[in-house]
Amino acid sequence: MLHKTDRMIYAVEYIKKLGVEPSTPIFVHALRAMLSMSETTRKKKFEVLKSLGWSEEQIVSAFKRTPFILACSEEKLRLVTDFCLNTMKLDLDTLISYPTFLTFGVDQRLRPRYNVIKVLQSKNLLRGKKKIEWLFILSEKIFRENYVLKHVDEVPELLQIYDVTGKKKRTAT
């Protein structure tokens, strides 16, 4: 509400043009994300995502589901994409399907969970046909209980792998 009227009107119209309906709960988040940056910054972030292989339609689709991807810095967009594609070996379509990954910290969430998942897979402790991607979206409490603490007896170093990997970077930032 502290924004100038013309800026607010422009943002609302732009978001509606992208296909986000004002009656949906995501509209407020989209508006907040759009108002957090200038038009130049928004365009730069679109260009960064395009340079990483995203099409305009994919960016808009992802924004409509997770507006805060555009609130991420250009560096973070590149860093998370690199980690997801090169370390986690996800394909671009999977990353585009889970745009919320772009909002996660690599060293605070993605890498620690990835390390736990790799250990669990190596010990054949991941059961079922779950998509691995879902494990990154789970809340901290559920992930820790179901994928770390649950397997500590079979893999005593699991808690250390999960905590130490994350703490080193969390305390450094």
Side-chain angles (χ1 to χ4, degrees):
M1 294 301 177
L2 299 176
H3 295 280
K4 292 182 179 179
T5 306
D6 58 337
R7 182 168 156 80
M8 183 72 85
I9 290 169
Y10 174 80
V12 167
E13 291 304 317
Y14 183 80
I15 294 166
K16 285 169 53 177
K17 187 176 105 183
L18 291 179
V20 181
E21 293 297 321
S23 60
T24 62
I26 204 77
F27 187 83
V28 173
H29 300 292
L31 183 60
R32 190 168 150 219
M34 291 306 284
L35 290 171
S36 73
M37 70 191 94
S38 69
E39 185 174 354
T40 303
T41 300
R42 177 187 48 79
K43 286 179 180 178
K44 281 183 187 176
K45 290 179 184 184
F46 265 70
E47 290 308 314
V48 167
L49 289 169
K50 285 179 183 177
S51 76
L52 296 170
W54 295 56
S55 71
E56 181 100 15
E57 295 79 28
Q58 290 167 325
I59 297 167
V60 170
S61 174
F63 174 77
K64 287 163 61 172
R65 289 178 282 137
T66 311
F68 289 110
I69 62 169
L70 293 183
C72 297
S73 70
E74 295 170 41
E75 179 185 347
K76 183 174 184 175
L77 294 172
R78 286 186 182 97
L79 181 67
V80 172
T81 298
D82 179 66
F83 183 79
C84 289
L85 300 181
N86 297 318
T87 301
M88 292 172 56
K89 303 295 185 205
L90 298 176
D91 57 46
L92 185 59
D93 288 336
T94 301
L95 180 57
I96 290 167
S97 296
Y98 294 90
T100 192
F101 276 30
L102 295 173
T103 66
F104 298 149
V106 169
D107 292 316
Q108 296 77 18
R109 185 179 193 129
L110 296 174
R111 188 181 319 278
R113 290 187 185 201
Y114 174 76
N115 290 339
V116 166
I117 290 165
K118 293 313 278 177
V119 168
L120 294 176
Q121 285 175 327
S122 73
K123 307 247 185 222
N124 292 319
L125 293 172
L126 282 181
R127 295 181 179 88
K129 298 229 179 213
K130 294 178 186 151
K131 285 186 173 186
I132 296 301
E133 295 83 11
W134 280 100
L135 301 180
F136 293 92
I137 295 172
L138 292 173
S139 72
E140 176 65 21
K141 180 182 179 196
I142 291 172
F143 183 83
R144 191 175 180 87
E145 287 174 3
N146 294 343
Y147 296 95
V148 179
L149 299 177
K150 178 179 179 180
H151 299 289
V152 164
D153 290 339
E154 297 131 311
V155 187
E157 68 275 13
L158 199 58
L159 193 57
Q160 183 180 3
I161 289 168
Y162 186 63
D163 287 339
V164 172
T165 304
K167 274 188 189 173
K168 279 183 188 175
K169 297 297 179 179
R170 279 192 286 254
T171 56
T173 56

